[in-house]
Amino acid sequence: MSDPKKLFIKTYGCQMNVYDSERMAEALSGNGYVQTQSAEDADMILLNTCHIREKAAEKIYSELGRFKALHDAKPDLKIGVAGCVAQAEGEEIMRRQPMVDLVVGPQSYHRLPAMEQAVARGEKALDTDFPEEDKFEKLKARPKVARGPTAFLTVQEGCDKFCAFCVVPYTRGAEVSRPADRILQEARDLVAAGVREITLLGQNVNAYHGAEGGLADLIWQLDKIEGLSRIRFTTSHPNDMDQALIDAHATCGKLMPYLHLPVQSGSDRILKAMNRKHTAAQYVDLIARIRSVRPDLLLSGDFIVGFPGETDQDFEDTMELVRTVNYGQAYSFKYSTRPGTPAAEKAQIDDGLATERLHRLQALLTTQQRAAQQSMVGREVSVLFEKVGRLEGQLIGKSEYLHAVHAVAPRGDIGQIRKVRIVESVTNSLGGELVA
Ligand code: 5AD
Ligand code: SF4
């Protein structure tokens, strides 16, 4: 048998890309590829790209430029671009960077094995279709190799919401849900391979409709899998938080008390311009309803500042919403124009002003995040240990609230859930002691 060929994948962007990268590596394993962590070693380099914010394509072109020397030294090296930049740029990538052999969009990577064969014959391969067939049906079952204690599982892709700033409906296409039985099978296989916690992924995961009762129904079916201890899901739209899903946060013991629920802005005027289809008050009311059933839930969000037309008052409304909701965790971004989206046609606000607003918002969010962490000190939490820590004897894992927690613990506790008393809060993690 010939030596395996080596595949180096670099993943950008969201957790769905992390999941897709795993599946692409699995798909190419049938063509004789094993993964390497070093680009220098690789026979094929695959960039799995993200297009959500500005300059994404330019970053990929400069990254490709950096691989040019490697390619010159090793002309057999194959180079591929996958993900949302591949979808958006298509053959333009090969035109601008002729050394690229393969361009594959997020909905067609089940065709990678055939594309790789074409590339091995010296051809170029391009596929940015939204094919009729379901890629998950075409991909082989996931290999039964031992895995770490946590895993992602994509259950839904694409988005029909068309927020005015967002490229997702164009790069990932229309909303599609995977059938529940396939997801349950994949979950059982993951658990058999050592996984204790599964995070269900979707661009609009709570719009999942592959089970009769939506995402809550799927969660309850997953709840029955023995050996699966924790379930999470991300990322959600406020308008798809139905009562069954809210109730599951109170009654499903495996569903963790953490919710990522982006609002983007606290101004009704801007929410309308963003086509979010809800008001700030409706969002605040929704949060109150969720917290009434699960008061300790840690809430996370996404914000965009500097959307076209955002006034000082609009921004102050966002600050006010943040003060009202009190987030345990959040991500905030300066608006960036995405060609082809409705907001791209509108006049942009001053960049310096947007930067100033971003800094103010981030300062507030950081204060809230630190306070949420600090409030854990003295409390007992459950930690699923994932790996060894930086210091001798230490393990690192996540609490039910998704806080990173480090504690001195036996190595055999990796993959186990242990009670830990939190003793300190440091910048991005908590320190604790095992409770005997
Ligand atoms: N500009 C800035 N942020 C954006 N996001 C999506 N599109 C844009 C854009 N054009 C942010 C939103 C979304 C997160 C994944 O990325 O906050 O929730
Ligand atoms: Fe983009 Fe999310 Fe809006 Fe869909 S709901 S268009 S993925 S921001």
Side-chain angles (χ1 to χ4, degrees), residues 52-53 165-166 262 264 302-304 333-336 338:
I52 196 88
R53 278 173 291 274
F165 51 80
C166 186
Q264 316 295 357
D302 287 342
F303 295 90
I304 296 177
F333 314 97
K334 198 159 69 170
Y335 169 73
S336 83
R338 311 311 294 123

Side-chain angles (χ1 to χ4, degrees), residues 275-296:
N275 194 31
R276 292 288 293 180
K277 300 196 177 82
H278 62 77
T279 63
Q282 281 165 339
Y283 178 84
V284 169
D285 176 61
L286 174 63
I287 300 300
R289 285 197 288 130
I290 299 167
R291 281 190 170 142
S292 72
V293 304
R294 186 75 207 224
D296 64 332

Side-chain angles (χ1 to χ4, degrees), residues 233-277:
F233 61 88
T234 195
T235 184
S236 297
H237 190 285
N239 290 0
D240 292 314
M241 269 326 279
D242 64 17
Q243 194 57 43
L245 192 52
I246 296 176
D247 291 343
H249 277 287
T251 48
C252 179
K254 291 185 183 178
L255 183 59
M256 292 295 100
Y258 180 99
L259 179 64
H260 182 64
L261 196 60
V263 66
Q264 316 295 357
S265 168
S267 151
D268 286 345
R269 236 174 47 81
I270 295 298
L271 286 169
K272 194 164 177 18
M274 285 177 165
N275 194 31
R276 292 288 293 180
K277 300 196 177 82

Side-chain angles (χ1 to χ4, degrees), residues 11 33 47 58 63 73 128 147 152 156 162 177 179 212 231 233 277 303 324 358 372 374 382 386 401 422:
T11 307
Y33 277 92
L47 304 181
E58 288 315 310
E63 184 77 18
T128 52
R147 305 178 60 103
F152 294 131
Q156 179 279 336
F162 290 93
S177 295
E212 212 165 290
I231 304 167
F233 61 88
K277 300 196 177 82
F303 295 90
T324 306
L358 183 65
Q374 192 60 39
S382 298
E386 292 173 28
Y401 307 103
I422 302 302

Side-chain angles (χ1 to χ4, degrees), residues 220-240:
W220 281 111
Q221 294 188 52
L222 287 162
D223 180 71
K224 293 193 200 118
I225 297 179
E226 212 174 307
L228 178 64
S229 307
R230 293 176 156 191
I231 304 167
R232 304 180 185 276
F233 61 88
T234 195
T235 184
S236 297
H237 190 285
N239 290 0
D240 292 314

Side-chain angles (χ1 to χ4, degrees), residues 311-327:
T311 63
D312 285 342
Q313 185 55 52
D314 293 322
F315 175 68
E316 291 309 327
D317 290 348
T318 298
M319 294 291 277
E320 191 52 35
L321 178 138
V322 171
R323 283 186 212 101
T324 306
V325 170
N326 191 18
Y327 289 87

Side-chain angles (χ1 to χ4, degrees), residues 30 49 67 102 149 154 166 189 196 207 336 349 353:
T49 60
F67 289 130
L102 183 156
T154 293
C166 186
D189 289 347
R196 304 285 310 271
S336 83
I349 80 155
L353 184 61

